[in-house]
Amino acid sequence: MGAAPTQPDRPFNLRPSRRPTLVRVLLALLLGGGMLVVLNAPVWFFMHASASRWQDDREVVVSVAEDTRCRVGPPPGEPTTCTGAWSGGDGDVSNRYGGPPPVPGERVEAREVGDDLALTGYHPVLLGWALVAPYLAVVGAGGAAVAVAGLRVLDPRWWSLRTDLPSA
């Protein structure tokens, strides 16, 4: 009645884990970290810059010419994008993240978020998500790296490749 047998007849990757509960927690951490990266990396790359510039509060009044053709789309939603001019610049004005749509022949309040882009609004949930997405993605990547390191130490199934399986 001593220690449990080490099962030397089994390949390393088929031996049971030394700490099964901790391995389950690390697998959940790995899955959660991966999900954080997958969900937040695109938001970071595509929305974070405009969201942080939105916070700079560079308000402008955009004039949309009468003969301007506006384009609608792409999804999600049906954002309207028109060409407009404002003091200090010109370019596209859009309601892609919320706010009133620009209308040809009218003026619309917006915030300049780039050299040639002004947005008429930002939905609060999208704004918050876009601002914290880089941090969530980095936390997810760090959590996944810690989980993989822990699994490599604690679980024999992560020690080697599965090339030492017995052949049939």
Side-chain angles (χ1 to χ4, degrees), residues 22-147:
L22 184 57
V23 167
R24 282 191 210 101
V25 169
L26 289 174
L27 285 171
L29 179 63
L30 177 61
L31 181 64
M35 287 178 60
L36 278 176
V37 170
V38 167
L39 292 175
N40 289 297
V43 174
W44 179 7
F45 294 131
F46 294 114
M47 291 175 58
H48 179 72
S50 63
S52 60
R53 288 185 178 165
W54 177 268
Q55 292 292 92
D56 291 345
D57 202 20
R58 298 185 301 203
E59 292 184 9
V60 294
V61 176
V62 180
S63 299
V64 181
E66 188 78 39
D67 59 346
T68 298
R69 286 189 64 197
C70 297
R71 47 191 194 277
V72 176
E78 294 294 322
T80 304
T81 303
C82 302
T83 303
W86 56 87
S87 62
D90 62 343
D92 289 338
V93 59
S94 179
N95 67 333
R96 71 176 71 157
Y97 301 129
V103 179
E106 293 187 13
R107 299 167 73 93
V108 64
E109 291 183 10
R111 291 187 187 179
E112 185 179 7
V113 296
D115 294 336
D116 58 350
L117 178 63
L119 298 175
T120 61
Y122 226 114
H123 191 277
V125 173
L126 289 177
L127 179 63
W129 187 16
L131 290 173
V132 300
Y135 306 107
L136 292 175
V138 168
V139 164
V146 166

